[in-house]
Amino acid sequence: MQNQQHIYLDNNATTRVDERVLETMLSYFTDLYANSTSTHIAGLTINEAVENAAWQTANLINANAEEIIFTSGATEAINLAIRGLANQERKEIVTVATEHKAVLETCRFMETSGFEVTYLPTRPDGILNINLLNEVITHKTLVFIMMLSNNETGVIQNVMEISKILKAKNVLFLCDATQAVGKIPVDVKTMGIDLLTLSAHKFYGPKGVGALYVSAQAKIKLLPQITGGGQQQKLRSGTLNIPAIIGLGKASEIAVNQLKEDEIKIKKLRNKLETGLLQFEGFFINGNIQNRIYNTSNICFPGVNSEQLILALGNISVSNGASCSAVTSEPSHVLKAMGLSDEDALSSIRFSLGRFTTSEEIDIAIERVLSLAEKLKN
């Protein structure tokens, strides 16, 4: 493998840091290292940089800077959003069975704290039945939690129609937009989103930093999950990870200016990959083909064990499920919730392309996957 070109097609797990982001971050490790809460000139200078990063991040989702709470990533943001609602009078949560484990496990925790949680199924294509949502939402429901774009299939939900139902019934909308922010236009105002989570490393920023958008208009009173010095409006105490926050801001700025360029290039490569792989009879795409994000393709290779194929691919990095639970022999809970059999779920692989994927890499991947899949079949 050392002599082979590394082909990375697992960008939904994490992305390479854009060199422009890294360059912007570097001075905050060395020269600009003051604490942003210090009152001396150096500290005030850093605080100004943090405020700018908050503006850059907010601008990416059409929010206001004061509505952004920096976290260690989307998982922490999800926990702050869900656990932070424990002080509300309403005690019902509605979510979807195909959500990320960060949502599902936190909801299960809330069930031990007196909350009732409803886990809605999806249609076989991964799209939520809006009529079903309308039926289960009641005057007792506090919040509805749903991904914008699924991390395994890329399926995009009809957020606009969903938010109309929620607003009519005065229910909060927590949107896990981790796989969407930085890739497609996201507007919390027009989409009617009250709480939104994102993570920098999903769109060419550094690992270890993300954000929670908390709508000021919704006047949400969250309980902090990390207490101490009272930083970030007392919602998330602790010394800020300045270099990472600066990186998130820069990644957001680049994304705003490069959304369309990335989409055109990556979608073309994704389509090329699918055309090449689906020439083999019996292979099929999991999830709705029309309503999905442009960089993701989840393909089932019936009769082929996905773990064996991933290992055999060696220098080509792909995934058979969510990166947070990849070390498992269990079938994907997302694909199972969509109605796939254990066998087909265990024969499915997610290909997720990115800004740095090349056409030559796709050619190599198609050839290698087809050759190995044929050998491994049954």
Side-chain angles (χ1 to χ4, degrees):
M1 180 175 173
Q2 291 180 342
N3 297 323
Q4 292 180 312
Q5 175 187 2
H6 180 209
I7 298 174
Y8 187 76
L9 302 177
D10 196 21
N11 286 271
N12 282 9
T14 195
T15 57
R16 182 177 120 195
V17 175
D18 191 295
E19 290 182 5
R20 293 167 289 181
V21 172
L22 178 60
E23 183 180 354
T24 304
M25 292 172 61
L26 287 177
S27 61
Y28 291 88
F29 287 105
T30 53
D31 300 328
L32 303 171
Y33 55 84
N35 193 318
S36 62
T37 58
S38 297
T39 55
H40 45 64
I41 295 299
L44 294 173
T45 300
I46 301 301
N47 185 60
E48 186 175 339
V50 169
E51 289 179 349
N52 182 60
W55 180 87
Q56 290 170 315
T57 305
N59 186 51
L60 181 58
I61 59 173
N62 191 29
N64 300 317
E66 61 269 19
E67 296 174 313
I68 298 297
I69 304 298
F70 293 115
T71 66
S72 62
T75 295
E76 184 195 335
I78 287 167
N79 273 265
L80 173 56
I82 299 175
R83 294 175 187 239
L85 292 170
N87 61 339
Q88 305 295 314
E89 290 184 9
R90 298 185 184 187
K91 299 294 181 183
E92 287 185 358
I93 296 172
V94 178
T95 187
V96 185
T98 53
E99 293 303 294
H100 192 279
K101 289 290 182 69
V103 167
L104 297 178
E105 292 300 321
T106 308
C107 283
R108 291 189 183 106
F109 167 80
M110 297 300 283
E111 288 181 285
T112 68
S113 304
F115 277 76
E116 293 183 18
V117 182
T118 300
Y119 302 90
L120 297 178
T122 67
R123 300 189 321 223
D125 65 354
I127 300 290
L128 177 67
N129 184 330
I130 295 180
N131 292 330
L132 178 60
L133 173 65
N134 196 28
E135 290 174 9
V136 301
I137 295 288
T138 71
H139 65 283
K140 296 180 181 179
T141 307
L142 170 62
V143 62
F144 173 63
I145 309 167
M146 186 193 67
M147 282 186 188
L148 178 49
S149 172
N150 188 273
N151 58 306
E152 293 193 31
T153 64
V155 168
I156 295 176
Q157 301 290 347
N158 191 343
V159 170
M160 302 294 285
E161 289 301 314
I162 287 169
S163 65
K164 287 179 184 177
I165 293 172
L166 301 177
K167 295 306 173 196
K169 299 192 177 186
N170 196 28
V171 173
L172 294 173
F173 185 10
L174 165 54
C175 182
D176 175 7
T178 308
Q179 293 293 345
V181 169
K183 299 176 188 175
I184 60 175
V186 176
D187 187 324
V188 292
K189 300 294 192 292
T190 60
M191 290 178 169
I193 296 170
D194 300 302
L195 296 151
L196 178 142
T197 62
L198 61 90
S199 201
H201 75 105
K202 303 297 186 181
F203 58 103
Y204 316 102
K207 297 176 182 65
V209 64
L212 172 65
Y213 157 76
V214 184
S215 168
Q217 185 177 6
K219 294 182 172 58
I220 303 166
K221 302 287 186 181
L222 292 179
L223 291 172
Q225 301 306 297
I226 300 176
T227 54
Q231 291 89 342
Q232 300 202 81
Q233 305 168 53
K234 298 183 179 180
L235 279 175
R236 204 268 190 178
S237 292
T239 301
L240 296 179
N241 184 353
I242 304 298
I245 288 172
I246 298 301
L248 168 57
K250 185 63 178 180
S252 299
E253 178 186 76
I254 293 170
V256 167
N257 297 321
Q258 208 168 312
L259 277 181
K260 198 61 186 176
E261 178 186 339
D262 282 347
E263 178 181 0
I264 292 170
K265 175 198 169 186
I266 298 170
K267 186 175 184 178
K268 183 178 179 180
L269 293 177
R270 194 274 312 271
N271 291 345
K272 178 181 181 179
L273 175 71
E274 290 183 345
T275 299
L277 294 181
L278 295 177
Q279 64 183 287
F280 198 104
E281 186 178 355
F283 295 173
F284 61 88
I285 298 172
N286 294 314
N288 190 291
I289 297 176
Q290 282 73 41
N291 299 312
R292 58 175 172 152
I293 204 159
Y294 57 81
N295 81 311
T296 304
S297 180
N298 194 304
I299 299 179
C300 181
F301 303 89
V304 178
N305 182 283
S306 62
E307 288 187 354
Q308 291 180 355
L309 180 54
I310 290 170
L311 289 173
L313 284 170
N315 64 306
I316 301 176
S317 298
V318 294
S319 170
N320 60 349
S323 57
C324 301
S325 57
V327 187
T328 177
S329 296
E330 296 181 358
S332 157
H333 77 278
V334 171
L335 299 182
K336 287 282 290 175
M338 289 166 54
L340 266 72
S341 65
D342 285 357
E343 291 76 13
D344 281 349
L346 288 169
S347 296
S348 296
I349 285 183
R350 179 188 69 187
F351 301 85
S352 47
L353 287 58
R355 183 178 292 166
F356 305 110
T357 305
T358 68
S359 183
E360 292 74 21
E361 290 175 336
I362 296 300
D363 288 332
I364 295 170
I366 292 170
E367 181 182 356
R368 287 280 305 284
V369 171
L370 287 178
S371 173
L372 289 169
E374 189 171 7
K375 291 178 182 178
L376 292 171
K377 191 171 174 62
N378 298 318

